[in-house]
Amino acid sequence: MVGSSHEALHRIFQKDPALLTRALQRVLHVPFPEPREIAALNVDLTEVEPVERRVDTLLRAETDEGTYLLVVESQGKVDDRKRGSWPYYLSYLYEKYRCEPVLIVITQSSTTAKWASRPIRFGFRDWHSLTVRPLVLGPENVPLIADERQAERDVPLAVLSAMTHGRGPQAPAILESLAAALRTIDSDTAAVFVQFVDSCLADPQAKQMWRDLMTAIQYFWRHPLAEQVREEGREQGREQGRAEAKAEMVLRVLEWRDIPVPDSVRDRVMACTDLGQLEVWAQRAVHATDATELFDAE
């Protein structure tokens, strides 16, 4: 189970390793050769005696131009200790595998992205014995995918977009597009992607909207993340309480999508005690353009 944005930001590349090479080629415009094969490796870089060191995600990419090690580091904030650890990782990996290592840093912070993109140089001013140039994926270059069709064309990239940009006024469009795109892939993979996004949403309103969207299409409730919410529902112990919560969720989805909710619609939704009917309305709320569309065909 993914418990933090740090873990989700790099583990998405374990779930879909090919996403990383697409990001290098399409987002960073790095002419990285197309892998014939790509596989996750052991992330433990510990030596026998020294302090334990681990990279976040380590992938080996086999290409026509050779074998590369893709070192993925999820970075939440500026940390000058990386000036020592990142060069160490690359040197150690080259010594161990005799393959060219490539460092990719992924972050949700523009400030951290700017810091991480600066070359790390060892030596004196006119001669650098070692230079490390991280490739950085962050809010400035990861595409903002707020179109349903675009999200469907590359669902993992849409997930990365939501993980990177899922805050502020653009959050509803991003999350709604991704929610629709998740319907087009297998449910097990979708459930994992749901968890990645949930872990990365720092904005409480965006996180609640995401959980409401996932509740409407049943992904969230099949995932361990939902256990806490289910436990709260069991404590209520009454059908009326569950119906009220579902009705409020229907209205919240409409409100977060900036769809006006007349008093007549609000009263009808809140008066409903049929969980099946409320579920139908919840699914319609995700796509409705007018609040009265909840009651179409009724």
Side-chain angles (χ1 to χ4, degrees):
M1 179 175 176
V2 176
S4 68
S5 62
H6 173 93
E7 191 173 359
L9 279 169
H10 70 84
R11 278 189 55 187
I12 186 174
F13 298 112
Q14 297 177 12
K15 179 64 179 176
D16 188 343
L19 171 63
L20 183 58
T21 59
R22 294 201 300 277
L24 292 177
Q25 295 163 351
R26 301 178 190 176
V27 178
L28 298 178
H29 305 293
V30 174
F32 190 86
E34 193 67 32
R36 294 194 307 272
E37 179 184 352
I38 189 166
L41 302 179
N42 191 331
V43 299
D44 190 352
L45 306 185
T46 308
E47 296 193 47
V48 177
E49 296 294 339
V51 177
E52 179 178 318
R53 296 177 185 266
R54 292 177 184 268
V55 298
D56 289 332
T57 284
L58 180 61
L59 305 170
R60 180 174 59 206
E62 303 285 352
T63 77
D64 291 335
E65 298 178 14
T67 300
Y68 296 89
L69 298 176
L70 305 180
V71 185
V72 184
E73 284 283 282
S74 174
Q75 193 67 29
K77 61 183 179 180
V78 173
D79 183 356
D80 287 331
R81 292 176 299 176
K82 297 298 184 180
R83 175 177 168 81
S85 58
W86 284 344
Y88 172 87
Y89 295 163
L90 301 182
S91 299
Y92 177 87
L93 288 168
Y94 180 78
E95 180 65 20
K96 181 176 181 178
Y97 293 101
R98 292 296 169 175
C99 300
E100 299 291 341
V102 179
L103 174 61
I104 301 101
V105 178
I106 180 165
T107 181
Q108 295 173 290
S109 164
S110 297
T111 300
T112 303
K114 183 177 180 180
W115 162 80
S117 64
R118 298 170 185 163
I120 300 171
R121 296 188 175 97
F122 292 154
F124 52 90
R125 184 177 62 183
D126 297 323
W127 185 269
H128 300 129
S129 302
L130 174 66
T131 300
V132 175
R133 298 178 60 198
L135 295 166
V136 180
L137 292 166
E140 303 303 322
N141 53 23
V142 172
L144 193 158
I145 299 178
D147 177 78
E148 182 177 330
R149 291 184 179 179
Q150 186 180 0
E152 290 176 356
R153 286 196 293 269
D154 194 336
V155 176
L157 185 60
V159 174
L160 183 61
S161 176
M163 292 161 63
T164 308
H165 298 286
R167 64 182 71 184
Q170 72 271 30
I174 294 172
L175 299 178
E176 289 164 18
S177 298
L178 177 58
L182 288 175
R183 297 172 182 268
T184 66
I185 64 175
D186 71 274
S187 59
D188 290 338
T189 297
V192 174
F193 286 157
V194 167
Q195 185 185 10
F196 287 162
V197 174
D198 189 272
S199 297
C200 286
L201 292 174
D203 181 350
Q205 188 176 30
K207 184 184 285 284
Q208 187 59 55
M209 179 182 181
W210 178 244
R211 291 187 173 187
D212 288 342
L213 287 169
M214 293 303 96
T215 300
I217 58 177
Q218 298 300 317
Y219 283 129
F220 180 73
W221 292 96
R222 291 188 294 102
H223 199 277
L225 273 173
E227 185 57 36
Q228 180 181 352
V229 182
R230 285 197 293 266
E231 192 63 34
E232 292 172 355
R234 285 193 289 268
E235 289 175 0
Q236 292 179 6
R238 295 186 301 165
E239 191 77 8
Q240 181 180 356
R242 290 194 294 271
E244 289 176 356
K246 177 71 77 172
E248 290 173 356
M249 184 270 287
V250 172
L251 297 175
R252 281 202 304 271
V253 171
L254 292 173
E255 290 167 355
W256 282 330
R257 296 184 62 226
D258 293 326
I259 295 176
V261 181
D263 289 341
S264 59
V265 172
R266 185 181 302 275
D267 292 344
R268 181 173 175 181
V269 171
M270 291 305 300
C272 182
T273 58
D274 184 339
L275 286 173
Q277 181 62 73
L278 288 167
E279 177 61 29
V280 171
W281 291 346
Q283 294 183 24
R284 290 177 181 171
V286 175
H287 300 287
T289 57
D290 185 278
T292 59
E293 292 178 16
L294 294 181
F295 314 128
D296 284 355
E298 294 176 11

